[in-house]
Amino acid sequence: MAVSKKAPAPRVLWKGAISFGLVHIPVALYSATTSQAIDFDWLDKRTMDPVGYKRINKKTGKEIARENIVKGIEYEDGEYVVLSDKEIADAYPKTTQTIEIESFVPANAIPFVYLERPYYVAPINRGAKVYALLRETLQRTGRIGMARVVIQTKQHLAALVPVGPGLVLNLLRWGADIRPWTDLPLPSEDAKKAGLREQEIKMAEQLVEDMSAEWDPADYKDEFKDEILRLVDRKVAAGQTETVTQPEPEEGQGAEGRGAKIIDLTELLQRSLRQGGGGKAAVTTNTRDKPRGKAHGKGAAKSTGSPARKRSTAAKAASTLRSAA
């Protein structure tokens, strides 16, 4: 029997709402991944006590107290600008608990290199119907929603993607974080200039065809992890184990916000069309009663880009949704 840790039950990581036009869908985010990698803990070989990390001054080698540590950004070699905690806090984007959809783009428009981290999105409170409508509409139109979302004080670009029975929020890397191809020694995109012959291309195509198969994630295993677990099993069976007393973990407490009331979906879509789509004012008038609780924030995230383009995009999206409704 392999030695492994049981994956914890899914827990809510974030609560808020998907917002576009006057449509407001209360949702919760769940992690879409779980780490199955081997986790090597540090232990003191003399006492088998857990070993933690310390804040060390790299010049003196001495441990530094937390209150003596400041944050700095190096702007030139050896030259830093020091920022206070308040200055950093003031620069953080305001938490709105809203997945603010700015536009809808073709599902195949985003290169894989931009994908960073997926989250499952599930409806909460009374958001199931409009959630299903958005999922169905995205599937039929072959579109995904481009959105901004603030998670733990950090603003992310994200793609809202219909996948099977649900929606997945894929956090994306910003364009400035993607390195260009220009600095790499790549062969020419022209096959002839790259020295390829037609016969070689056909043989390669045949090889790819012969090796083609349907995607099944169960066909691919982490061989290193499996070998380490087999080694652990053998050592356990041989009695080669050590007892380590771990300190008690601190349990965090999270506050749950109250859900927004959802008014008639057809009415929301019609109002979105009449007002020309989304916008800051639209987001703040999407329910009869203002949602209470920290989880819903004070307002919607600021949108960027061309207002005319947004009105056009939102109008098209609302028209599609009205047809679907």
Side-chain angles (χ1 to χ4, degrees), residues 35-308:
S35 176
Q36 297 293 335
I38 298 297
D39 186 12
F40 292 100
D41 293 331
W42 287 8
L43 305 172
D44 187 329
K45 70 177 182 180
R46 302 165 298 178
T47 60
M48 285 297 114
D49 293 330
V51 176
Y53 295 95
K54 290 185 177 181
R55 299 175 180 85
I56 301 296
N57 184 314
K58 295 182 179 180
K59 185 175 182 179
T60 65
K62 295 181 179 180
E63 186 176 358
I64 304 298
R66 182 187 294 270
E67 58 268 20
N68 290 329
I69 297 177
V70 295
K71 298 180 177 69
I73 295 179
E74 186 176 24
Y75 70 95
E76 288 182 0
D77 189 18
E79 297 293 327
Y80 284 79
V81 171
V82 175
L83 301 177
S84 68
D85 290 340
K86 184 180 184 305
E87 289 173 324
I88 296 174
D90 290 343
Y92 279 134
K94 304 305 179 184
T95 301
T96 62
Q97 297 302 111
T98 304
I99 300 172
E100 185 82 17
I101 297 179
E102 297 186 353
S103 63
F104 295 94
V105 303
N108 60 353
I110 302 176
F112 286 131
V113 70
Y114 282 85
L115 302 180
E116 186 171 23
R117 185 186 310 152
Y119 288 97
Y120 288 142
V121 182
I124 57 176
N125 303 330
R126 292 185 291 172
K129 180 180 178 182
V130 66
Y131 176 97
L133 177 60
L134 177 59
R135 179 197 62 199
E136 186 70 17
T137 304
L138 292 178
Q139 289 175 342
R140 294 192 182 191
T141 59
R143 298 272 166 168
I144 59 179
M146 296 302 302
R148 291 174 187 261
V149 59
V150 177
I151 301 177
Q152 295 179 346
T153 71
K154 183 178 181 181
Q155 188 182 67
H156 299 271
L157 180 65
L160 191 64
V161 185
V163 180
L167 295 172
V168 172
L169 187 73
N170 264 300
L171 301 189
L172 303 177
R173 296 179 176 91
W174 298 99
D177 295 334
I178 304 299
R179 293 178 176 176
W181 295 101
T182 52
D183 297 332
L184 301 178
L186 301 175
S188 172
E189 293 185 77
D190 185 286
K192 291 184 178 180
K193 292 181 179 179
L196 300 178
R197 295 180 297 173
E198 191 62 29
Q199 181 182 2
E200 293 172 330
I201 297 175
K202 289 182 178 180
M203 291 176 62
E205 290 176 347
Q206 183 61 49
L207 178 59
V208 170
E209 188 67 29
D210 292 343
M211 295 180 63
S212 296
E214 295 296 326
W215 159 247
D216 184 355
D219 293 338
Y220 304 90
K221 305 288 186 181
D222 184 345
E223 296 179 357
F224 170 74
K225 183 194 74 172
D226 292 343
E227 180 59 32
I228 290 294
L229 292 180
R230 284 192 290 268
L231 178 60
V232 170
D233 285 340
R234 291 195 295 269
K235 286 183 173 287
V236 169
Q240 300 175 357
T241 62
E242 302 287 350
T243 300
V244 177
T245 302
Q246 295 285 354
E248 291 294 330
E250 297 181 1
E251 296 184 0
Q253 295 181 348
E256 294 186 0
R258 298 186 180 182
K261 293 182 179 180
I262 304 302
I263 64 177
D264 183 71
L265 178 58
T266 304
E267 179 187 347
L268 284 175
L269 297 174
Q270 290 174 344
R271 285 165 54 188
S272 294
L273 282 173
R274 289 196 297 268
Q275 295 191 15
K280 186 174 182 181
V283 175
T284 59
T285 58
N286 51 17
T287 59
R288 289 195 180 102
D289 298 328
K290 290 185 179 180
R292 292 176 292 175
K294 183 179 179 181
H296 292 275
K298 297 181 179 179
K302 292 183 179 179
S303 301
T304 59
S306 169

